[in-house]
Structures are given as C-alpha cells and as structure tokens.
Amino acid sequence: MANTNSQPSFAEAMENQATINIGIIGHVAHGKSALVRSLTGINTIRFKQERERNITMKIGYANAKLYKCNNALCPRPKCFKAYSSHTTGTVICDRPTCGGQMQLVRHVSFVDCPGHDVLMQNMLNGAAVMDAAVLLVAANEACPQPQTAEHLAAVETMNLQHIVVVQNKCDLVSKDQAAMSFNQIKQFTNGTSAQESTVVPISAEMEVNVDAVVEQLCQQIPMPVRDYTSDPRMVVIRSFDINRPGDTLKLSGKGASGLKGGVAGGSITRGVLRVNDVVEIRPGLVTRDSNNHIRVRPLRTRVVSLGSESTQLKFAVPGGLIGVGTLLDPFLCRQDKLVGNVLGKPDSMPKVFIELTIHFTLLRRLLGIAGNDSVKETQYEQYMQDNFGDSSILTKVSKFKKHDVLQINVGACTGLATVVGVKDDLAKLKLERPVCADIGESIALSRKFNGSFRLIGWAKIVKGKALMLD
C-alpha cells in the first residue's frame, strides 16, 4: 500500500476499489437485476419485500472487475470477462487452448435502479452518482415502455454522455421478433445520447452473450477525468447502523468497545478520503425552533474505516461506491437518515440553501405515463401511438406557475419545493428541506401527475439563499 500522505496511483486504487459507477436502467421487469447478477455474481434484490415481489425497490449495488485477455489471437468478445470484485493475482484465460493472461481493464460499481414508475425518486438518487449507464430493453415487449423513456431522459438530465444499450430476453422471442425489437430500439434512441451505441442482444438469465456487454463497457465507456488533488467530497446515498440487536457499549481501561459508529455510503466525487480524516456532513441535523425557523447543525466526525464491499481500504478515490465508518451515533445513520447529505473536509463545503434560483429547461412531453390521450404533432409521435398504443410521450409539460409544488433532486437529496417566482426560464424555489449544493449544480425537476411525481425537466442552480449554520 502506498504512503497515505502521497497521492495514490490509479492502478493501485483500481485494484482495491471500483473507480467508475455504471447505472443499470430501464423499465420494470426487463432484467436489470439479472444482468447485474450475471456480471457480478451478486443478487441485488436483498430486502424481504423485494424478494416477495421479485423487483428492485431500493437502489442495489454490486462490484465487478472487468478483464481482457492479453492474447491477441483470443477472439472477441470471448476475450472479455467479468470477475468478482475480490479477484486478485494472476488470472488465466479460461478459453480452452488460449493460455493468455487476463488484464484488469475496469473495476466497476453497478448501480441497479428500480424500474417501477412510483420508485422514480430512488432512480434519480442513483443517477446522482453515475458516470455512465446501461439501458436495458426487453425484446419481448414493445419499445419504449414508459420507464424506458423516463430513465433515459433522467440520465440525459444528469449529463451522462456514455450509454450502452442492451436488448435482453432474446431467448424468449423468435428471430423475426428480435429483429423488430432491434429496429424499435434504434428508432427510439435516435437523437439521444444512446444513438451511437451498439445494441447488444443477450439473455441475462441464461448468461448468454454477457461477455459482449463487458466488451462494450470496456471499449465504449471511457474512464472519467478525476480530480485527486482537491479537498475530498462525497455524495451520501446510503447510511446505516451496522450494530446488531443486543450489542452494548463496553467501557474498560483501554477505552470503549462494543458499539460501532454509523456508516455513510456513497461515491466520492473529488479528492482522496483517508482513514483518520476529520470530515463534516452537511446539512446534518435539521430541526425547527419554537418560532418554526429551520435550524441546521452540520455533523463533524472522524473516518475510522473505509470499505469497498468487504475490502478494507486505507484511502478511497473518486468513483465506485464506498462505505465510510464514522464515530457518529448510529441512530443518526440508521435507515438511510443521512441520504442526500454531502460529506467532505470541514471549511471546504458548499453552502446550505433554503431557497434556490434556477435556470430551467422543461421536457416537451411528459414521460413515463402510459395510456394518456393527446394531440399527435409529429410523425414520430403518430408512429408511437399507432404501433404501441402508448401516449406517454404525448402529454405536454405545462410551464411553471407561482405556487406550483415540485419535487427536486439535488445530488442524492430529494425534497419538495414551491415556486415563488417565475420569469422566462428562471424560477425561484422555496425548499421544504435545506440542501447542500454548489452554484452551477444540475438538478432534476418532477411534478405530481396521477398521484406520483414524474420527471418534467432539469435545471442549474444560479444562486440561492443560504442558512446560517449552528
């Protein structure tokens, strides 16, 4: 391990932790979790209610190392393969008679997003840490399904430029049906960030042609440019209490033991985080005083451990999903209480805002809602309605009005906001809960439709009203 006072090498970091986050997006039941399982060996459907319904409800995470055989005669895509994140040492190509050695190309954290329409908020929280995405489309259903369109729009809102398209469940359709599905996918992705992507046909459940997906991830998604020199900053997308029922705090002459502090999970966006670093979490504790005024008290603590899955680290770099062990009261972290906070070095953190002025862009049509009637204005919209009976792209998004209530996603923070002023493409929002954000940061905008919030556009923060911190 390198000296913790020096900057880590990229190769050293990639060996020990994931260095890129790739989202798995698409409509419900199109096989996202099955693809993650075939790539990583990990089932991201972990919670009781998820297992009962066999769908992802919370964001799932799993890591894998992607390798390529160094034998130039090893044919593609068989020369690419995904292995467990715990794989170390020399790996020999398992293709008979090859004899080549596998070389590590990527160490990836996969972010498995819920596909159900009412779980769009969870998907947007996951999008906050994505560097690229895999759009999964089932060949046995017409394309696009409502959340196929909504998820693609969401990742484009977050400025993701690298999207791999995967046609799943090809084992369930005939050759002609697969070809028709392929043409629908190409027509749907035309004009989007995914239009140049190769459509990879697979069966995730049968693990057929998954190596072709690995090839696309290695060759079509470049490593993002990372900032290792700035003060560390991490977006918190999970937090939890790792103590078991019955654990108690034990005091002795050597100090306290027994209970462990809370854990914050997320992705580092810049800088290098090290064990023993003192960090601040903003907004932190949010309360209201006797006059109903919002009070904000950031949390300060020390990093006592860093982990990537079960691998313990001395330092963590941008990219990948990291667990940060702290000295915080575990009650403050249990059940994702810190989700939406930002963790970083004290005195280098963004301000905490209670009002935001945004420069917004609205979608022309509402996505993710099936079965609505509207006027068809273009040949493509007519094609979608005639062929798929789905008018999800046809419901117009109306302009903001004063007193409109929106749902905004700022990083991994989701909250309600009231429009208190609108002028041209600028809007002033009063937030229900404070957010820690940078000026210029991108945010997602949603509005309630038929009982659930739907993505309607995106914006950049122009300025804001900051709160005084306790």
Side-chain angles (χ1 to χ4, degrees):
M1 188 68 67
N3 186 330
T4 57
N5 291 321
S6 62
Q7 291 300 327
S9 70
F10 177 75
E12 180 184 14
M14 185 168 68
E15 181 65 35
N16 292 297
Q17 70 156 93
T19 53
I20 185 172
N21 297 318
I22 297 180
I24 310 295
I25 63 174
H27 193 67
V28 63
H30 277 202
K32 297 183 293 297
S33 297
L35 176 59
V36 173
R37 186 171 63 248
S38 67
L39 289 167
T40 68
I42 297 173
N43 185 7
T44 55
I45 299 177
R46 297 170 180 169
F47 297 93
K48 180 181 178 181
Q49 193 175 4
E50 291 180 316
R51 292 196 299 269
E52 289 174 348
R53 299 178 62 183
N54 196 32
I55 62 171
T56 301
M57 300 177 71
K58 292 191 174 184
I59 300 171
Y61 311 99
N63 294 353
K65 289 182 175 179
L66 310 184
Y67 287 81
K68 181 183 180 183
C69 180
N70 64 0
N71 183 354
L73 299 179
C74 194
R76 52 173 294 272
K78 296 295 183 183
C79 58
F80 291 89
K81 190 169 182 180
Y83 289 85
S84 163
S85 181
H86 308 302
T87 304
T88 57
T90 301
V91 181
I92 304 300
C93 181
D94 59 5
R95 192 177 68 86
T97 72
C98 174
Q101 289 189 3
M102 305 298 285
Q103 295 181 331
L104 181 61
V105 181
R106 296 278 190 276
H107 194 168
V108 177
S109 274
F110 291 103
V111 183
D112 182 12
C113 293
H116 200 284
D117 60 342
V118 299
L119 300 172
M120 191 63 192
Q121 168 189 326
N122 293 352
M123 184 272 163
L124 289 170
N125 286 344
V129 298
M130 294 178 192
D131 299 304
V134 174
L135 176 64
L136 212 65
V137 183
N140 63 338
E141 294 186 1
C143 176
Q145 291 295 304
Q147 271 56 60
T148 307
E150 193 171 24
H151 281 202
L152 180 57
V155 296
E156 290 195 299
T157 294
M158 299 303 179
N159 297 318
L160 295 194
Q161 299 299 315
H162 302 288
I163 300 172
V164 171
V165 181
V166 174
Q167 181 190 33
N168 191 27
K169 302 191 179 184
C170 291
D171 55 318
L172 302 182
V173 298
S174 67
K175 184 176 179 180
D176 289 342
Q177 288 174 314
M180 182 177 70
S181 170
F182 172 87
N183 291 332
Q184 290 175 359
I185 294 170
K186 293 300 291 184
Q187 182 158 10
F188 165 63
T189 57
N190 185 39
T192 72
S193 299
Q195 67 177 355
E196 300 299 330
S197 175
T198 300
V199 179
V200 184
I202 69 164
S203 170
E205 201 65 48
M206 304 298 292
E207 298 188 1
V208 175
N209 210 34
V210 174
D211 44 11
V213 178
V214 177
E215 179 185 27
Q216 291 296 307
L217 296 179
C218 291
Q219 295 193 339
Q220 301 303 318
I221 298 179
M223 280 300 302
V225 177
R226 301 297 194 192
D227 176 4
Y228 294 94
T229 59
S230 296
D231 292 328
R233 184 84 55 80
M234 187 181 91
V235 177
V236 179
I237 57 176
R238 291 288 306 278
S239 70
F240 37 89
D241 173 8
I242 60 175
N243 297 290
R244 297 180 179 180
D247 285 351
T248 58
L249 182 65
K250 301 174 183 177
L251 300 176
S252 68
K254 296 182 179 180
S257 62
L259 287 180
K260 296 181 175 63
V263 176
S267 187
I268 298 172
T269 57
R270 71 181 203 190
V272 178
L273 195 61
R274 292 181 168 86
V275 173
N276 291 322
D277 279 354
V278 175
V279 295
E280 183 171 287
I281 299 173
R282 290 189 179 185
L285 290 178
V286 179
T287 58
R288 289 184 181 269
D289 61 21
S290 58
N291 296 318
N292 205 33
H293 296 148
I294 292 178
R295 304 293 296 270
V296 174
R297 181 162 67 88
L299 302 172
R300 285 205 181 189
T301 186
R302 181 168 59 86
V303 176
V304 297
S305 66
L306 292 167
S308 175
E309 290 190 332
S310 61
T311 303
Q312 292 300 303
L313 309 171
K314 292 184 179 179
F315 62 83
V317 301
L321 299 169
I322 301 296
V324 181
T326 72
L327 296 175
L328 291 174
D329 184 333
F331 177 79
L332 299 175
C333 301
R334 67 192 302 264
Q335 297 180 339
D336 289 335
K337 286 186 176 182
L338 292 183
V339 169
N341 280 259
V342 178
L343 180 151
K345 183 179 178 181
D347 304 322
S348 70
M349 299 285 286
K351 294 180 179 180
V352 176
F353 297 108
I354 193 60
E355 291 184 0
L356 295 175
T357 299
I358 59 171
H359 183 278
F360 64 87
T361 302
L362 299 181
L363 300 173
R364 289 182 59 247
R365 303 293 180 190
L366 191 67
L367 303 174
I369 304 293
N372 298 313
D373 293 325
S374 185
V375 179
K376 311 169 191 63
E377 294 182 349
T378 68
Q379 183 178 3
Y380 177 62
E381 291 166 351
Q382 180 72 59
Y383 169 85
M384 296 296 297
Q385 182 69 18
D386 291 346
N387 285 274
F388 307 132
D390 175 16
S391 55
S392 64
I393 65 168
L394 304 178
T395 303
K396 289 185 177 181
V397 174
S398 60
K399 295 181 179 180
F400 290 157
K401 301 185 298 294
K402 197 171 181 179
H403 306 305
D404 275 355
V405 176
L406 308 175
Q407 179 179 272
I408 65 171
N409 288 79
V410 185
C413 180
T414 303
L416 298 180
T418 302
V419 178
V420 294
V422 184
K423 183 177 181 181
D424 300 327
D425 53 3
L426 293 175
K428 186 176 181 180
L429 308 179
K430 184 176 181 180
L431 310 184
E432 184 180 78
R433 58 180 289 194
V435 299
C436 178
D438 286 305
I439 300 300
E441 189 168 336
S442 295
I443 67 176
L445 305 172
S446 303
R447 179 187 281 147
K448 185 167 282 191
F449 185 89
N450 285 352
S452 60
F453 282 97
R454 303 261 60 91
L455 182 70
I456 61 166
W458 62 94
K460 284 191 178 295
I461 300 173
V462 177
K463 60 182 180 180
K465 178 182 177 182
L467 287 170
M468 295 292 293
L469 306 180
D470 291 348

